[in-house]
mmCIF file of all heavy atoms in Angstrom:
data_model
loop_
_atom_site.group_PDB
_atom_site.id
_atom_site.type_symbol
_atom_site.label_atom_id
_atom_site.label_comp_id
_atom_site.label_asym_id
_atom_site.label_seq_id
_atom_site.Cartn_x
_atom_site.Cartn_y
_atom_site.Cartn_z
ATOM 1 N N ARG M 47 -6.821 10.093 15.515
ATOM 2 C CA ARG M 47 -8.236 10.082 15.164
ATOM 3 C C ARG M 47 -9.023 9.759 16.434
ATOM 4 O O ARG M 47 -8.551 9.011 17.283
ATOM 5 C CB ARG M 47 -8.509 9.083 14.050
ATOM 6 C CG ARG M 47 -8.144 7.666 14.378
ATOM 7 C CD ARG M 47 -8.085 6.799 13.115
ATOM 8 N NE ARG M 47 -7.835 5.418 13.442
ATOM 9 C CZ ARG M 47 -6.640 4.905 13.715
ATOM 10 N NH1 ARG M 47 -5.570 5.680 13.733
ATOM 11 N NH2 ARG M 47 -6.500 3.624 13.991
ATOM 12 N N PRO M 48 -10.204 10.326 16.576
ATOM 13 C CA PRO M 48 -10.974 10.108 17.806
ATOM 14 C C PRO M 48 -11.382 8.655 17.981
ATOM 15 O O PRO M 48 -11.702 7.958 17.020
ATOM 16 C CB PRO M 48 -12.208 10.991 17.646
ATOM 17 C CG PRO M 48 -12.104 11.646 16.327
ATOM 18 C CD PRO M 48 -10.876 11.196 15.627
ATOM 19 N N SER M 49 -11.361 8.216 19.214
ATOM 20 C CA SER M 49 -11.800 6.871 19.563
ATOM 21 C C SER M 49 -13.223 6.951 20.108
ATOM 22 O O SER M 49 -13.696 8.030 20.468
ATOM 23 C CB SER M 49 -10.855 6.302 20.630
ATOM 24 O OG SER M 49 -11.386 5.146 21.201
ATOM 25 N N GLU M 50 -13.866 5.812 20.192
ATOM 26 C CA GLU M 50 -15.206 5.763 20.784
ATOM 27 C C GLU M 50 -15.130 5.740 22.303
ATOM 28 O O GLU M 50 -16.130 5.964 22.980
ATOM 29 C CB GLU M 50 -15.935 4.515 20.297
ATOM 30 C CG GLU M 50 -16.079 4.424 18.804
ATOM 31 C CD GLU M 50 -16.523 3.043 18.361
ATOM 32 O OE1 GLU M 50 -16.651 2.134 19.207
ATOM 33 O OE2 GLU M 50 -16.745 2.889 17.153
ATOM 34 N N ASN M 51 -13.953 5.442 22.851
ATOM 35 C CA ASN M 51 -13.799 5.221 24.290
ATOM 36 C C ASN M 51 -13.373 6.479 25.029
ATOM 37 O O ASN M 51 -12.547 7.246 24.549
ATOM 38 C CB ASN M 51 -12.758 4.127 24.539
ATOM 39 C CG ASN M 51 -13.118 2.827 23.864
ATOM 40 O OD1 ASN M 51 -14.289 2.478 23.774
ATOM 41 N ND2 ASN M 51 -12.123 2.122 23.365
ATOM 42 N N THR M 52 -13.912 6.624 26.220
ATOM 43 C CA THR M 52 -13.494 7.691 27.125
ATOM 44 C C THR M 52 -12.290 7.203 27.912
ATOM 45 O O THR M 52 -12.148 6.006 28.156
ATOM 46 C CB THR M 52 -14.651 8.029 28.100
ATOM 47 O OG1 THR M 52 -15.800 8.398 27.328
ATOM 48 C CG2 THR M 52 -14.291 9.171 29.030
ATOM 49 N N CYS M 53 -11.446 8.116 28.319
ATOM 50 C CA CYS M 53 -10.242 7.743 29.057
ATOM 51 C C CYS M 53 -10.612 6.962 30.322
ATOM 52 O O CYS M 53 -11.442 7.417 31.117
ATOM 53 C CB CYS M 53 -9.445 8.991 29.435
ATOM 54 S SG CYS M 53 -7.997 8.623 30.447
ATOM 55 N N PRO M 54 -10.010 5.793 30.536
ATOM 56 C CA PRO M 54 -10.342 4.975 31.700
ATOM 57 C C PRO M 54 -9.742 5.514 33.008
ATOM 58 O O PRO M 54 -10.120 5.067 34.079
ATOM 59 C CB PRO M 54 -9.747 3.614 31.359
ATOM 60 C CG PRO M 54 -8.608 3.928 30.456
ATOM 61 C CD PRO M 54 -9.035 5.125 29.669
ATOM 62 N N ILE M 55 -8.849 6.479 32.918
ATOM 63 C CA ILE M 55 -8.206 7.019 34.118
ATOM 64 C C ILE M 55 -8.877 8.315 34.570
ATOM 65 O O ILE M 55 -9.411 8.395 35.665
ATOM 66 C CB ILE M 55 -6.695 7.245 33.886
ATOM 67 C CG1 ILE M 55 -6.008 5.941 33.458
ATOM 68 C CG2 ILE M 55 -6.030 7.840 35.120
ATOM 69 C CD1 ILE M 55 -6.039 4.831 34.492
ATOM 70 N N CYS M 56 -8.862 9.342 33.724
ATOM 71 C CA CYS M 56 -9.423 10.638 34.139
ATOM 72 C C CYS M 56 -10.896 10.788 33.797
ATOM 73 O O CYS M 56 -11.583 11.621 34.395
ATOM 74 C CB CYS M 56 -8.623 11.791 33.531
ATOM 75 S SG CYS M 56 -8.834 12.004 31.739
ATOM 76 N N ARG M 57 -11.376 10.021 32.829
ATOM 77 C CA ARG M 57 -12.777 10.058 32.379
ATOM 78 C C ARG M 57 -13.230 11.462 31.942
ATOM 79 O O ARG M 57 -14.391 11.813 32.044
ATOM 80 C CB ARG M 57 -13.707 9.512 33.461
ATOM 81 C CG ARG M 57 -13.465 8.051 33.762
ATOM 82 C CD ARG M 57 -14.428 7.518 34.802
ATOM 83 N NE ARG M 57 -14.316 6.097 34.952
ATOM 84 C CZ ARG M 57 -13.510 5.483 35.808
ATOM 85 N NH1 ARG M 57 -12.716 6.195 36.581
ATOM 86 N NH2 ARG M 57 -13.477 4.177 35.882
ATOM 87 N N LYS M 58 -12.266 12.279 31.444
ATOM 88 C CA LYS M 58 -12.579 13.644 31.033
ATOM 89 C C LYS M 58 -12.872 13.771 29.547
ATOM 90 O O LYS M 58 -13.678 14.590 29.140
ATOM 91 C CB LYS M 58 -11.413 14.588 31.375
ATOM 92 C CG LYS M 58 -11.255 14.855 32.833
ATOM 93 C CD LYS M 58 -10.114 15.815 33.056
ATOM 94 C CE LYS M 58 -9.891 16.039 34.538
ATOM 95 N NZ LYS M 58 -8.718 16.878 34.775
ATOM 96 N N GLU M 59 -12.166 12.994 28.729
ATOM 97 C CA GLU M 59 -12.327 13.156 27.289
ATOM 98 C C GLU M 59 -12.181 11.830 26.569
ATOM 99 O O GLU M 59 -11.730 10.843 27.148
ATOM 100 C CB GLU M 59 -11.326 14.166 26.732
ATOM 101 C CG GLU M 59 -9.891 13.720 26.756
ATOM 102 C CD GLU M 59 -8.979 14.754 26.104
ATOM 103 O OE1 GLU M 59 -8.938 15.889 26.563
ATOM 104 O OE2 GLU M 59 -8.318 14.379 25.112
ATOM 105 N N GLN M 60 -12.542 11.861 25.289
ATOM 106 C CA GLN M 60 -12.390 10.679 24.455
ATOM 107 C C GLN M 60 -10.909 10.439 24.191
ATOM 108 O O GLN M 60 -10.119 11.382 24.079
ATOM 109 C CB GLN M 60 -13.081 10.876 23.115
ATOM 110 C CG GLN M 60 -14.552 10.593 23.117
ATOM 111 C CD GLN M 60 -15.078 10.687 21.703
ATOM 112 O OE1 GLN M 60 -14.955 11.726 21.067
ATOM 113 N NE2 GLN M 60 -15.659 9.596 21.219
ATOM 114 N N LEU M 61 -10.560 9.175 24.081
ATOM 115 C CA LEU M 61 -9.195 8.817 23.733
ATOM 116 C C LEU M 61 -8.937 9.114 22.258
ATOM 117 O O LEU M 61 -9.870 9.162 21.460
ATOM 118 C CB LEU M 61 -8.951 7.334 24.005
ATOM 119 C CG LEU M 61 -9.024 6.920 25.472
ATOM 120 C CD1 LEU M 61 -9.037 5.405 25.591
ATOM 121 C CD2 LEU M 61 -7.862 7.509 26.247
ATOM 122 N N THR M 62 -7.687 9.303 21.925
ATOM 123 C CA THR M 62 -7.265 9.516 20.548
ATOM 124 C C THR M 62 -6.407 8.328 20.137
ATOM 125 O O THR M 62 -5.553 7.876 20.904
ATOM 126 C CB THR M 62 -6.446 10.814 20.439
ATOM 127 O OG1 THR M 62 -7.231 11.905 20.908
ATOM 128 C CG2 THR M 62 -6.022 11.075 19.012
#
Side-chain angles (χ1 to χ4, degrees):
R47 60 195 184 279
S49 167
E50 302 167 356
N51 302 325
T52 303
C53 176
I55 303 297
C56 71
R57 296 182 172 90
K58 289 182 183 175
E59 69 177 59
Q60 277 186 301
L61 295 169
T62 302

